[in-house]
Amino acid sequence: MLPILLEQGKIAKGNGEIEKALSLFKTAIQIEPHNIVALRTLGSALEECGQLTEALAIYSRAIHLARDVDLLNERGAILRQLGQYEQAITDYRHALTLDANNALVRYNLSIALLSTGQFDEGWQLYESRWDSVLSKYQRRFGVPQWRGDFPLTGRTILLHAEQGFGDTFQFLRYTKLVADQGAHVIMAVDRSQHTLAQRAPGVSTVLSNGDTFPPFDCHSPLMSLPFCLQTTQNTIFAPQRYLFADSERVEHWKSKLGVTKVPRVGLAWSGSVGHKNDRNRSIPLETLQSALASDRHEFISLQNEIRASDKKVLEHGFPGQHFGAALNFDETAALIENLDLVIGVDTSVIHLAAAMGKPCWLLLSHVADWRWLTNRDDSLWYPSMRLFRQTHSGDWREALRKIRQQMDLMAR
């Protein structure tokens, strides 16, 4: 009976019938209250549909029955999503006493440590991403990976981008520090970021995927550089700006926008639909527009792509200018240079604006990405950035109210 219920629940879940699936999983547990598989299946389903407190209780019940690495790891993930980082760290450390070499647990522990500013151990454990979540993306070049363990003077090093566009913009700051160690720096990035990366300090050559690479002596993934350079909260390299738009494109956009007597504010309200955390980080345009509407500011959309749910609002009520597909990264950078402020969610656009030194107000979900730490309204990474966090999960009202309040002060 139990296997049938679990299978029926999985089918229902796969069909999007989540309430039916949860009912079947709960029935399975009623039949066998101590069945670890049934408890774990229910806990996973509850987590997936956002019922985190209920999922936590189920995983705790399962762990009480069995000391299991995977259960501890999964409960740690739920605790992280609830913002209970120290409890999550305890679970991950407990799991590592059972399996010290578990790469996924080590990676998850690194995220919890980085989120709480424990950089020394956090960066070291973050290297385990290549043995877990990023294993299929690891690049091998036949030369040593630099881990800060040998001098770079006179050597050519390839720094290569990884993960998202925002990650690349954030960590391009380190090219200067690597060059300052005497290295000849070659940079490999996505073609869409090619010309911006060319202007990063210390970079000699920029290549894109598919290009033929010249000879080099060693390499490093871009997001390994904080570890290589032993970055702490006190030593984060945070220049006012390190990325620059093309001057001719800046003038083009200046002419296109014309003269204004009010502050120009760029808006970026959503990222990629495929991002695993999109439902938490993106904001419906209608919500953003109704909260920030003002005749004392000129709004400029920085969105390249518009999701279907936002198109009607954009076409029939957006109080500003929208340029859509014209905004690749180079054009976006030039447009940003003509703005007074950028307001956005945690996407590549806000990283680009902050890396250019533009005043940025970042809207963050209640439990944000590790790089923003916790309980701060500033960013250690970007001097020009202010953080506006949700006070409750899924509720943007208070963060938007605070932003509107600051906008009113700005317009005086």
Side-chain angles (χ1 to χ4, degrees):
M1 184 64 179
L2 184 70
I4 295 174
L5 285 169
L6 293 179
E7 186 60 31
Q8 289 176 338
K10 291 175 183 177
I11 292 171
K13 182 165 165 283
N15 292 333
E17 302 172 284
I18 189 63
E19 291 302 325
K20 179 180 179 181
L22 290 175
S23 177
L24 288 164
F25 294 148
K26 288 175 181 177
T27 300
I29 288 176
Q30 289 173 354
I31 294 172
E32 292 192 32
H34 297 159
N35 188 289
I36 299 298
V37 173
L39 288 167
R40 184 174 179 179
T41 303
L42 174 59
S44 177
L46 288 166
E47 178 186 6
E48 191 171 321
C49 65
Q51 298 182 40
L52 298 179
T53 302
E54 295 83 352
L56 179 61
I58 292 297
Y59 273 110
S60 297
R61 184 171 158 186
I63 290 169
H64 181 72
L65 296 170
R67 280 166 41 103
D68 180 88
V69 171
D70 292 333
L71 288 173
L72 287 163
N73 183 51
E74 289 159 13
R75 186 172 71 173
I78 294 171
L79 288 165
R80 263 179 36 218
Q81 292 175 70
L82 289 169
Q84 299 177 30
Y85 292 103
E86 292 305 326
Q87 295 93 320
I89 289 170
T90 297
D91 268 3
Y92 293 139
R93 293 200 188 282
H94 185 182
L96 290 175
T97 64
L98 305 176
D99 182 2
N101 296 317
N102 189 298
L104 182 58
V105 176
R106 290 168 64 84
Y107 168 77
N108 286 333
L109 175 57
S110 78
I111 298 300
L113 291 169
L114 292 173
S115 298
T116 52
Q118 300 178 63
F119 283 3
D120 287 346
E121 185 181 7
W123 292 126
Q124 182 178 0
L125 290 171
Y126 191 61
E127 291 301 291
S128 63
R129 68 195 185 278
W130 299 115
D131 298 315
S132 53
V133 296
L134 294 184
S135 57
K136 66 180 179 180
Y137 300 109
Q138 187 172 19
R139 304 177 73 174
R140 303 182 188 280
F141 297 101
V143 297
Q145 178 177 335
W146 185 62
R147 294 182 171 83
D149 49 349
F150 54 82
L152 291 178
T153 303
R155 288 185 165 96
T156 297
I157 184 170
L158 171 69
L159 305 179
H160 43 99
E162 55 169 293
Q163 302 184 55
F165 294 133
D167 298 302
T168 300
F169 286 140
Q170 180 179 357
F171 290 95
L172 273 171
R173 72 188 63 222
Y174 281 104
T175 56
K176 180 183 185 303
L177 298 188
V178 174
D180 285 349
Q181 296 213 7
H184 179 79
V185 178
I186 300 173
M187 187 73 229
V189 299
D190 186 87
R191 196 166 297 279
S192 65
Q193 298 176 290
H194 190 281
T195 52
L196 281 164
Q198 283 182 320
R199 301 186 192 99
V203 175
S204 299
T205 305
V206 177
L207 303 158
S208 302
N209 293 331
D211 292 344
T212 300
F213 289 5
F216 50 93
D217 302 302
C218 55
H219 76 96
S220 176
L222 200 56
M223 295 177 72
S224 288
L225 293 178
F227 166 64
C228 298
L229 297 167
Q230 300 180 6
T231 299
T232 68
Q233 285 196 57
N234 295 325
T235 63
I236 287 176
F237 181 53
Q240 185 66 33
R241 73 175 300 174
Y242 54 91
L243 292 182
F244 302 85
D246 176 77
S247 58
E248 290 186 7
R249 302 314 300 162
V250 172
E251 289 302 312
H252 164 79
W253 283 102
K254 182 178 180 180
S255 175
K256 189 176 182 68
L257 291 173
V259 178
T260 182
K261 295 182 180 180
V262 296
R264 278 200 172 109
V265 180
L267 300 177
W269 58 87
S270 64
S272 169
V273 177
H275 191 280
K276 64 180 182 180
N277 195 43
D278 183 68
R279 68 175 182 175
N280 293 318
R281 69 167 181 167
S282 292
I283 302 176
L285 175 56
E286 186 174 19
T287 300
L288 185 72
Q289 182 174 299
S290 62
L292 304 186
S294 167
D295 59 4
R296 295 190 293 169
H297 302 82
E298 180 184 349
F299 293 106
I300 306 294
S301 164
L302 296 175
Q303 292 290 142
N304 174 277
E305 296 181 357
I306 303 298
R307 55 190 64 190
S309 58
D310 289 334
K311 281 186 178 179
K312 186 176 180 180
V313 178
L314 187 69
E315 293 169 357
H316 301 289
F318 183 69
Q321 300 186 66
H322 171 67
F323 303 101
L327 295 182
N328 59 29
F329 282 130
D330 293 314
E331 300 296 343
T332 299
L335 178 54
I336 286 171
E337 198 68 75
N338 286 282
L339 304 178
D340 298 294
L341 170 70
V342 173
I343 299 173
V345 296
D346 189 2
T347 67
S348 56
V349 171
I350 204 79
H351 281 282
L352 173 58
M356 293 172 60
K358 186 63 60 174
C360 292
W361 295 352
L362 172 58
L363 285 151
L364 288 175
S365 57
H366 181 52
V367 178
D369 189 71
W370 59 264
R371 73 199 71 212
W372 311 120
L373 301 175
T374 61
N375 303 315
R376 299 185 69 104
D377 59 9
D378 66 335
S379 169
L380 293 177
W381 298 98
Y382 297 116
S384 65
M385 180 177 280
R386 295 182 61 183
L387 310 179
F388 295 80
R389 299 175 185 267
Q390 289 179 344
T391 52
H392 298 91
S393 182
D395 188 349
W396 292 106
R397 288 175 296 181
E398 181 62 14
L400 288 169
R401 185 193 67 78
K402 289 180 179 179
I403 280 189
R404 177 54 192 267
Q405 185 180 55
Q406 293 302 310
M407 286 176 60
D408 290 342
L409 291 173
M410 175 188 184
R412 286 182 181 177

